[in-house]
């Protein structure tokens, strides 16, 4: 993790066009980042590995050591990329799927802690994906599987929570893919919208996020950690929300706290520019998170006596043990009056540092924790080093004693 002593300002960027072979790409160049980041963006778009990329901005060649701020890039400036994209080689060995493994090999997978998957019961992948995600939150699974009591004809939420308990227990020990009929039937009993059928009586595909939200709310209601709902305790995010009227300075800024169970990451598709290129678009999860932390809304202004536009900003006051991020891909198309999905690949790091999205006070707590963790690690490393050096110093004496 990187450490910052202050809340970062918005990063300076400039939109440029990059031509590679016959294609043109619109890219937001982050001027304060090293060239490696720019090359990673190009690699994601073109497939040309960074070590093969030769980039020029006019007569200037962009090297790994180049400071992008010194190039004085202009909006829509054309950059040239030369390089050959990677071609995926055919696998040297035939892929072997879990369902094709011999029983003894299956036992090895179970022993290694790899859980079995859930069978698709006619378009139930929306449900399976959410359940398998929750199954990775060990603290939640431990709480749910300790639930006691039996089913009730009057409490459908209790029945669904108990089905989740039984299903998660089965997922710990199953030796073959699980068919979650019990959980599915109780989910549809409680939420009939997941029992819709289409032509020929085939079950319709449903929204994974909606299903996950409903399941998390039920588990939060029926499973407790102390006096708090288990989902709130493990997934709860506290947000500092600021509202400021954009149409008058007479109103003071409003401040409130909002609690969430997941962080919405808004995805934007690229917009065609008319010259064969595209502009904008979300490439990284950090861009999506940043976009979701700002916005506007209309509400009644007490000073103006009418509806007015307010700027709304979010900062994280408290992070959870397990952070759920939702890619918001659907939007309403005015021309067709239908929901549309943005099909765009969004990359995310193996380690996501959330510090820069937090309040100043919470950032200070993070810094303090990291400093303590770093000092502890340094002390442990020094102790191991002394122990190793001490063992090496004692070795000759031990050998002499053995010879005597």
């Amino acid at each position: 993790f990187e450490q910052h002593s202050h809340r970062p300002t918005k990063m300076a960027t400039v939109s440029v066009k990059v031509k590679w072979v016959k294609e043109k790409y619109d890219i937001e160049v982050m001027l304060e980042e090293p060239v490696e980041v720019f090359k990673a963006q190009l690699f994601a778009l073109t497939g040309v590995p960074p070590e093969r990329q030769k980039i020029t901005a006019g007569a200037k060649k962009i090297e790994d050591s180049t400071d992008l701020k010194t190039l004085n890039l202009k909006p829509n400036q054309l950059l040239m990329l030369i390089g050959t994209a990677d071609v995926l080689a055919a696998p040297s060995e035939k892929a072997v799927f879990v369902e094709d493994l011999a029983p003894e090999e299956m036992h090895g997978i179970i022993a290694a802690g790899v859980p079995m998957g859930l069978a698709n019961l006619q378009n139930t992948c929306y449900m399976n994906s959410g359940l398998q995600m929750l199954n990775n939150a060990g603290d939640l699974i431990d709480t749910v599987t300790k639930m006691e009591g039996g089913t009730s004809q009057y409490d459908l939420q209790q029945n669904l929570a108990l089905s989740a308990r039984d299903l998660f227990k089965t997922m710990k020990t199953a030796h073959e893919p699980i068919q979650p009929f019990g959980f599915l039937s109780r989910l549809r009993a409680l939420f009939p919208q997941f029992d819709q059928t289409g032509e020929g009586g085939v079950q319709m595909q449903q929204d994974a996020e909606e299903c996950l939200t409903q399941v998390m709310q039920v588990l939060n209601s029926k499973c407790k950690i102390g006096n708090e709902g288990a989902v709130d305790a493990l997934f709860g995010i506290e947000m500092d929300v600021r509202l400021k009227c954009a149409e008058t300075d007479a109103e003071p800024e409003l401040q409130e706290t909002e609690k969430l169970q997941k962080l919405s990451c808004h995805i934007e598709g690229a917009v065609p520019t008319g010259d064969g290129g595209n502009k904008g678009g979300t490439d990284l999860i950090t861009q999506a998170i940043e976009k979701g932390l700002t916005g506007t809304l209309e509400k009644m202004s007490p000073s103006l006596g009418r509806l007015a536009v307010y700027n709304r900003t979010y900062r994280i006051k408290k992070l959870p043990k397990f952070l759920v991020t939702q890619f918001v891909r659907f939007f309403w198309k005015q021309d067709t009056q239908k929901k549309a999905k943005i099909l765009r690949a969004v990359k995310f790091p193996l380690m996501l540092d959330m510090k820069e999205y937090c309040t100043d006070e919470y950032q200070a707590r993070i810094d303090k924790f990291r400093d303590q963790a770093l000092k502890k690690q340094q002390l442990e490393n020094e102790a191991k080093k002394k122990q190793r050096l001490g063992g090496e110093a004692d070795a000759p004496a031990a050998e002499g004693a053995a010879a005597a």
Side-chain angles (χ1 to χ4, degrees), residues 226-284:
N227 296 322
E228 190 176 12
V231 174
D232 283 339
L234 299 171
F235 296 84
I237 311 166
E238 288 188 16
M239 306 293 291
D240 176 75
V241 187
R242 305 293 176 101
L243 282 174
K244 184 72 176 73
C245 185
E247 301 181 35
T248 178
D249 292 328
E251 291 183 27
E253 183 179 64
L254 301 177
Q255 181 180 7
E256 57 188 26
T257 297
E258 185 175 332
K259 294 187 177 182
L260 310 171
Q261 290 180 346
K262 56 181 175 295
L263 199 62
S264 296
C265 302
H266 294 264
I267 309 301
E268 288 186 341
V271 179
T273 57
D275 58 356
N278 294 300
K279 182 179 181 181
T282 306
D283 296 313
L284 309 170

Side-chain angles (χ1 to χ4, degrees), residues 349-379:
L350 294 176
M351 186 176 292
L352 179 62
D353 189 350
M354 295 296 295
K355 178 186 165 183
E356 65 179 282
Y357 311 113
C358 298
T359 62
D360 289 337
E361 295 78 10
Y362 203 63
Q363 286 193 31
R365 290 181 60 188
I366 292 172
D367 284 338
K368 182 178 179 181
F369 174 82
R370 291 179 178 177
D371 287 342
Q372 290 174 345
L374 181 61
K375 289 177 182 177
K376 181 180 178 181
Q377 185 179 16
Q378 289 173 340
L379 290 173

